[in-house]
Amino acid sequence: MSRQPSSQHATNRQSSTPDATPHIDLISASAGSGKTYSLTQDLAASVGYGAAPEGCMAITFTNAAAAEIASRIRRTLLERGEWATAQRVLDGYLGTVHAVCGGIIEEFALEAGLSPSLDVVPAAEARLLFNRAIAAIASDEILVERIEGPARRMGIEDWREGVNDIVAEARSNGLDSDAVRACGPRSWSSMQALYESCGELLDGDALDREFTAELEGAIEAIRESGDETKGTASALFELETIATTLRSGHDLKWSDWVRVSKVEPTKKSQPFVEALKTVAAHHVRHPRLRADLEAMITGMFECAARSMEAFARNKADAGLIDFVDQEALALALLGRDDVRAALAERLATAYVDEFQDTSPIQLALMLRLAACARRSVWIGDQKQSIYGFRGADPSLMDAVIEGL
């Protein structure tokens, strides 16, 4: 294993206070380097040096990894004849991040005014509950009308998947529905600034008429030219397809404008399309494009916010929480002085394995736990991150390395 050098890292601390700045040993270790073996030996050694098994914490990202670490630690202690201590290992905070969060919630439930036996809905069932929530929100005719047309013109086949992505990212970052709702106008404002650099808005109706006239004129000119080369035939087919859409009264997609701006017949027919390509390239200054983008962006964030609220109601009605709720509740508990003080009294070591799979809300959790522990070791390898689909961000590891 290779240790990231930093004069700010401390291998051990003799004492810890709940408000202390955490000192963390951050170890970058690649697959096959023996990091799991070293972690279990270190944990076993900590217990051997007097640390209570209940004061040892090891966070993993899979049940299999947690079981392997627990088994190795117990086997090491049993080989040393420490039978009673080996049994007590299972009373510590040893497991997946959600198991550890669940343990913290159960232990300090009364402080949070919660039931100590909250039911955690499995991921598959949580997905069903969320799908019901978004289906109910997506049936709102006003909201759908606000998003559907712009999304179709933007070429987005299923905007609901985009809503799912927004919700997943928001929850992994610890954002509530109000924060998500506020992201819509901010997101549009950022994009609007980019488009404003393209120039002032044009008259949309006039631009539509000019586009149609130039399109029909280009088609007629190419036909009359007798240019039957392969490149021109392909370009003509594309232009005729778009003209057919317009003649039928259907809206063009904005990608159609882009395609026309880049159409390339062979050399003989290029002069026939130059004016058309110029007009098509002005689509970035079309007021309807800006309106579509604003409606779609703010509408999707609004839908995401409402879906989160409906999802929360569905879970509350069923008396359930999901894994992200566990993380949020544990993080809130660790924000309390009394909870941090209680943990600091006994938390000797806090290990995090596969740290590269940490999401933002999990990073916040681990930093608060590290502030309670006398010793913290985080182990990971950015190149091995496999949980990007659930909010894990290996760049967080780089940020922590730079910040420690």
Side-chain angles (χ1 to χ4, degrees):
M1 292 185 292
S2 62
R3 187 181 300 274
Q4 295 288 346
S6 173
S7 60
Q8 297 183 35
H9 292 189
T11 303
N12 285 284
R13 287 186 290 161
Q14 299 303 314
S15 62
S16 177
T17 63
D19 295 314
T21 299
H23 295 273
I24 302 165
D25 272 350
L26 186 60
I27 301 174
S28 180
S30 58
S33 60
K35 58 186 174 64
T36 302
Y37 174 79
S38 297
L39 186 155
T40 54
Q41 291 298 107
D42 202 353
L43 271 170
S46 295
V47 174
Y49 294 144
E54 299 86 349
C56 293
M57 174 180 289
I59 297 176
T60 69
F61 282 85
T62 66
N63 290 319
E68 179 184 4
I69 290 174
S71 176
R72 288 187 182 186
I73 295 171
R74 295 183 69 205
R75 185 166 61 246
T76 299
L77 293 171
L78 289 172
E79 289 171 352
R80 294 187 338 211
E82 301 177 31
W83 301 89
T85 303
Q87 296 305 313
R88 290 166 57 200
V89 165
L90 298 179
D91 295 328
Y93 290 107
L94 185 62
T96 66
V97 63
H98 297 119
V100 170
C101 286
I104 292 172
I105 293 169
E106 183 176 353
E107 181 173 352
F108 298 102
L110 294 180
E111 285 83 347
L114 300 169
S115 167
S117 57
L118 289 170
D119 291 327
V120 181
V121 61
E125 293 182 28
R127 181 69 178 178
L128 287 175
L129 284 175
F130 178 73
N131 286 343
R132 291 177 191 168
I134 194 173
I137 300 303
S139 64
D140 184 312
E141 291 184 7
I142 296 177
L143 188 59
V144 170
E145 184 177 350
R146 174 178 169 185
I147 304 173
E148 198 75 49
R152 184 175 59 253
R153 288 187 289 273
M154 295 299 299
I156 298 174
E157 293 183 4
D158 188 357
W159 56 268
R160 292 165 184 82
E161 280 302 311
V163 172
N164 285 337
D165 293 340
I166 292 172
V167 171
E169 290 294 330
R171 300 191 76 215
S172 73
N173 281 274
L175 301 182
D176 61 17
S177 60
D178 287 338
V180 170
R181 186 173 281 111
C183 283
R186 286 204 302 270
S187 179
W188 162 239
S189 180
S190 298
M191 179 168 282
Q192 186 178 29
L194 292 175
Y195 274 93
E196 285 175 351
S197 66
C198 299
E200 295 182 0
L201 289 176
L202 299 173
D203 183 322
D205 291 338
L207 190 59
D208 288 340
R209 290 192 297 270
E210 188 176 3
F211 178 87
T212 300
E214 291 294 346
L215 176 64
E216 296 290 359
I219 291 172
E220 183 177 355
I222 292 174
R223 285 175 178 167
E224 292 179 351
S225 72
D227 185 354
E228 297 181 355
T229 56
K230 184 176 180 180
T232 296
S234 176
L236 180 60
F237 177 79
E238 190 162 19
L239 296 179
E240 288 179 330
T241 300
I242 291 171
T244 299
T245 301
L246 281 174
R247 293 168 192 151
S248 64
H250 293 106
D251 290 336
L252 290 183
K253 295 180 180 178
W254 293 110
S255 59
D256 293 330
W257 287 72
V258 175
R259 283 162 51 204
V260 171
S261 72
K262 297 179 179 180
V263 70
E264 286 294 338
T266 48
K267 187 174 181 180
K268 178 181 178 181
S269 295
Q270 284 180 8
F272 304 138
V273 298
E274 289 306 314
L276 172 61
K277 291 172 64 175
T278 299
V279 173
H282 286 157
H283 72 277
V284 294
R285 299 168 63 187
H286 201 305
R288 194 167 64 247
L289 172 61
R290 310 282 177 91
D292 279 353
L293 286 168
E294 181 178 11
M296 188 183 68
I297 291 172
T298 58
M300 287 178 66
F301 275 101
E302 175 64 26
C303 187
R306 293 192 198 181
S307 297
M308 290 174 68
E309 292 163 353
F311 184 36
R313 289 194 298 270
N314 289 349
K315 287 181 293 183
D317 291 344
L320 301 170
I321 62 173
D322 67 0
F323 290 139
V324 181
D325 293 328
Q326 272 191 320
E327 294 170 353
L329 288 170
L331 182 61
L333 280 167
L334 290 169
R336 296 174 56 113
D337 292 341
D338 54 344
V339 172
R340 294 200 308 276
L343 283 173
E345 287 180 0
R346 67 175 185 277
L347 193 55
T349 56
Y351 292 84
V352 179
D353 195 20
E354 307 294 355
F355 171 58
Q356 73 277 355
D357 291 320
T358 302
S359 70
I361 191 172
Q362 291 167 354
L363 174 60
L365 271 165
M366 292 168 190
L367 285 170
R368 287 187 180 177
L369 287 169
C372 297
R374 291 189 290 276
R375 180 170 180 247
S376 296
V377 181
W378 294 359
I379 306 170
D381 180 7
Q382 300 95 313
K383 296 186 292 295
Q384 295 185 66
S385 182
I386 61 174
Y387 290 116
F389 65 90
R390 68 181 187 194
D393 186 355
S395 66
L396 292 176
M397 187 171 180
D398 295 322
V400 172
I401 290 172
E402 294 173 4
L404 290 178

